[in-house]
Amino acid sequence: MLPDDMPPRPGMIFVPGGSFTMGSEKFYPEERPLRRVRVDGFWMDETPVTNRQFAEFVEATGYVTVAEIAPDPRDYPGMDPALAQPGSLVFRRTDRPVTLDDFSQWWSFTLGADWRHPLGPGSDLTGLDDHPVVHVGHPDALAYAEWAGKALPSEAEWEYAARGGHDGREYAWGDDLAPGGAMMANYWQGMFPFANLMTDGWERTSPVRSYAANDYGLHDLIGNVWEWTCDWYAQPRAADKKKPGACCVIDNPRGGRRAESFDPCMPGMKVARRVIKGGSHLCAENYCQRYRPAARQGQAIDTSTSHIGFRCIVRSGFSPT
């Protein structure tokens, strides 16, 4: 419920503060341990930022996204110099079953792919005004948020909002992925990455509000596109029991430290990672079951893809940077 002394914000929903159990013990190790968390109230965008909204930002500011700037090979040891051109990662469906331990089989760095050209040169935003903007790196999301007078959510704020006031559910809507066969979000139906049955009607992104809002009135927090948060990626920690009261609830947690966020599988690549949440249209039952509030991934801040977007918040009560 909106406090009486708080005026409404168009396009945003007020999420009242409270406590919840963050994480899950039933899926992936990085979601553990379960911990009690409390967040202050905040406003959140009703939907992910759309192509229409991002275009207004670019028109007003002249902003150029990371995908539209050629990378410097000196920053990426071993990089093929031929790839030192503007571009972004685009998903390409395989034509047959493949092993799932090599994502390069379905991800292609595509020269000329960016938010205006989501599939690369020759593609455009025709019919996609109300779809979430994609091919935005973390700096792009931050720049938009600053322009809009907003911020990116913390991981805890994002997960609290996605749960819609229902603690302990594995999915945002309950404990069944597709209750009664109903499609509750835009994710991959069929065998990833070659057979998408499109039971939900969409192969890639879907227009925002295509699925019912959660009980806070927020749309598309699950599936469609992953969403950037402001937190550095690190393994979650339980409350520090040495601190008074900490054995019960962690107050407004803010993730790890930048130095902890580097990918240990890529020791030569010192690019920091932020937490992304919510899964996307590429999450499937046989691969990446991250269409859940507790799910999380680390994403390099300079890397944009065809399945990552963002939404913003406005905090009331505290304003961490």
Side-chain angles (χ1 to χ4, degrees):
M1 180 180 296
L2 184 64
D4 293 336
D5 60 348
M6 189 175 292
R9 290 178 176 269
M12 303 189 82
I13 299 290
F14 183 73
V15 179
S19 301
F20 74 109
T21 300
M22 191 170 178
S24 173
E25 293 184 330
K26 296 183 180 179
F27 288 85
Y28 298 104
E30 68 270 15
E31 300 169 17
R32 305 168 189 157
L34 295 177
R35 58 265 187 213
R36 290 295 293 175
V37 165
R38 190 194 71 80
V39 297
D40 293 329
F42 55 94
W43 293 88
M44 178 173 260
D45 287 345
E46 186 179 348
T47 73
V49 173
T50 64
N51 285 312
R52 177 184 287 109
Q53 291 170 318
F54 199 78
E56 292 171 355
F57 157 63
V58 171
E59 182 176 359
T61 63
Y63 184 82
V64 179
T65 63
V66 295
E68 299 170 278
I69 301 171
D72 187 340
R74 293 174 296 181
D75 295 332
Y76 304 93
M79 178 183 185
D80 181 352
L83 296 179
Q85 301 180 52
S88 188
L89 289 168
V90 176
F91 171 79
R92 308 290 186 188
R93 186 201 298 211
T94 64
D95 61 2
R96 62 179 67 87
V98 296
T99 59
L100 297 178
D101 58 358
D102 180 9
F103 62 82
S104 67
Q105 297 174 100
W106 55 85
W107 282 111
S108 172
F109 181 76
T110 303
L111 301 181
D114 55 45
W115 73 273
R116 290 187 182 90
H117 309 96
L119 301 181
S123 67
D124 57 34
L125 297 179
T126 301
L128 300 179
D129 283 350
D130 292 323
H131 287 235
V133 66
V134 293
H135 297 298
V136 284
H138 196 266
D140 307 327
L142 281 177
Y144 177 95
E146 182 177 356
W147 170 78
K150 301 177 181 181
L152 296 182
S154 70
E155 180 179 2
E157 289 165 335
W158 191 102
E159 185 170 330
Y160 178 73
R163 292 185 178 278
H166 299 285
D167 207 359
R169 291 178 174 179
E170 292 299 339
Y171 302 102
W173 45 84
D175 289 320
D176 295 322
L177 176 59
M183 295 292 99
M184 307 298 290
N186 179 1
Y187 59 90
W188 184 289
Q189 294 90 46
M191 296 300 290
F192 183 89
F194 69 96
N196 189 345
L197 302 177
M198 291 190 289
T199 309
D200 60 9
W202 303 97
E203 182 174 11
R204 292 184 181 268
T205 60
S206 51
V208 299
R209 300 186 181 87
S210 292
Y211 300 88
N214 72 4
D215 284 351
Y216 284 145
L218 301 163
H219 292 266
D220 292 286
L221 280 158
I222 301 300
N224 211 357
V225 293
W226 284 97
E227 297 184 13
W228 288 108
T229 73
C230 64
D231 283 356
W232 296 113
Y233 183 81
Q235 185 64 28
R237 297 183 179 90
D240 183 354
K241 295 185 179 181
K242 295 180 181 179
K243 295 182 179 180
C247 62
C248 301
V249 179
I250 308 172
D251 198 44
N252 291 315
R254 288 302 312 275
R257 297 186 298 271
R258 186 179 188 277
E260 298 176 295
S261 73
F262 301 122
D263 190 343
C265 296
M266 304 178 70
M269 193 77 71
K270 292 298 183 181
V271 179
R273 295 181 296 168
R274 299 274 189 174
V275 176
I276 56 174
K277 296 284 282 184
S280 79
H281 57 277
L282 300 182
C283 289
E285 289 192 77
N286 73 310
Y287 179 77
C288 189
Q289 296 178 15
R290 291 184 170 89
Y291 30 50
R292 298 170 292 105
R296 60 199 302 270
Q297 255 184 198
Q299 180 71 17
I301 59 176
D302 66 343
T303 301
S304 59
T305 75
S306 60
H307 75 331
I308 299 178
F310 69 101
R311 77 178 74 206
C312 302
I313 68 168
V314 173
R315 297 183 174 95
S316 66
F318 82 117
S319 300
T321 56

